[in-house]
Amino acid sequence: MHPHKSESWVDRIEETIIAVLLGFMTVITFANVVARYVFNHNILWALELTVFMFGWLVLLGASYAVKKNAHLGVDAVINMLSPKGRHVLAMISVTICILFTLLLLKGSWDYWSNFANLPQTTGRVFPTGFEDEFRPKGWYETNDIPHPAILGWMETVFNEGDEYEKLPRLVPYLVLPLSMGLLLWRFLQVARSIWTGGQDRMIASHEAEDELEEVREQLGKDD
């Protein structure tokens, strides 16, 4: 059983961003190859930007896979249980995922926040509040990526008016809390669907069987 797929603009956030990232990665990589082998010139910032974009693609893809019920898993034990047993195991699984994602969200916020001149959370495992004193790191820059003029306002907000030569790190690192927040939201949606009986597992485990069935049907038509 699969959860209902909402078509609201909120539910399309991941796929839209992922599509844009994949497109830009392709264009930038192709342009760099042409520049290097045709014009004997290297786009200095291309590799670093592509690495950051790939990181965004992977991290946002995690929540997208939860949305599409596309994470792979083994259901040998699940299929041996009664519907009630599958429901209990699914609730245990999604609860563990939510708790783990909360830990990731805290860690990602604590890593990114100082780059945005914001306080980290207190508490060793789960957040208990925010730091009263911290060292702002809004002046940290990437190695090669130029700072676009459209983001000039960031110099006043995050760098005390000093000019950025390169893109501040808070921009590419923003994906850490953003992706973990989206992942938590998707797991909460799955938990609601499991609780209400909309699905009995979190994994996609029958893709191979479906493909084999399609092959059998095709062979039957050919015969």
Side-chain angles (χ1 to χ4, degrees):
M1 300 177 67
H2 298 277
H4 174 69
K5 306 296 192 239
S6 172
E7 296 298 328
S8 71
W9 67 271
V10 176
D11 287 339
R12 294 182 178 274
I13 290 177
E14 296 99 330
E15 57 191 70
T16 301
I17 296 178
I18 288 171
V20 171
L21 287 171
L22 187 59
F24 273 114
M25 284 177 60
T26 303
V27 171
I28 292 171
T29 302
F30 177 76
N32 197 29
V33 170
V34 172
R36 180 177 298 177
Y37 291 100
V38 177
F39 301 101
N40 197 28
H41 177 74
N42 182 43
I43 303 176
L44 184 62
W45 47 266
L47 177 59
E48 186 179 24
L49 180 58
T50 302
V51 169
F52 279 132
M53 294 176 74
F54 182 73
W56 277 68
L57 192 70
V58 171
L59 291 172
L60 292 176
S63 63
Y64 182 72
V66 174
K67 167 190 171 183
K68 293 293 186 179
N69 201 38
H71 282 288
L72 299 179
V74 179
D75 63 356
V77 175
I78 298 175
N79 291 335
M80 295 171 58
L81 300 176
S82 64
K84 184 177 180 180
R86 290 197 295 268
H87 182 266
V88 171
L89 282 186
M91 286 303 304
I92 293 175
S93 298
V94 75
T95 300
I96 293 173
C97 289
I98 289 173
L99 292 175
F100 182 64
T101 306
L102 284 171
L103 295 176
L104 293 177
L105 180 57
K106 171 181 166 53
S108 62
W109 171 269
D110 289 345
Y111 184 79
W112 171 80
S113 58
N114 285 176
F115 289 109
N117 294 349
L118 295 171
Q120 296 182 357
T121 61
T122 56
R124 185 175 182 84
V125 179
F126 291 102
T128 58
F130 290 95
E131 294 178 331
D132 295 326
E133 298 181 1
F134 62 95
R135 182 190 177 202
K137 299 178 182 178
W139 49 272
Y140 272 86
E141 301 176 338
T142 56
N143 295 326
D144 301 312
I145 305 173
H147 184 64
I150 194 173
L151 297 179
W153 56 270
M154 298 181 68
E155 298 169 351
T156 302
V157 176
F158 300 105
N159 204 29
E160 300 180 354
D162 293 336
E163 183 177 352
Y164 281 121
E165 294 183 2
K166 305 297 182 182
L167 184 72
R169 293 190 184 184
L170 70 95
V171 176
Y173 292 170
L174 174 61
V175 71
L176 296 172
L178 176 62
S179 62
M180 293 305 102
L182 285 172
L183 185 60
L184 177 60
W185 171 248
R186 294 304 180 192
F187 277 134
L188 290 173
Q189 287 182 316
V190 171
R192 181 179 180 275
S193 179
I194 293 173
W195 182 260
T196 58
Q199 63 186 104
D200 62 0
R201 67 196 68 197
M202 298 174 55
I203 60 175
S205 55
H206 298 287
E207 280 70 16
E209 295 177 11
D210 294 340
E211 292 179 2
L212 287 174
E213 185 62 31
E214 292 179 4
V215 171
R216 293 192 191 98
E217 292 178 358
Q218 186 63 40
L219 291 175
K221 292 179 181 178
D222 294 339
D223 293 339

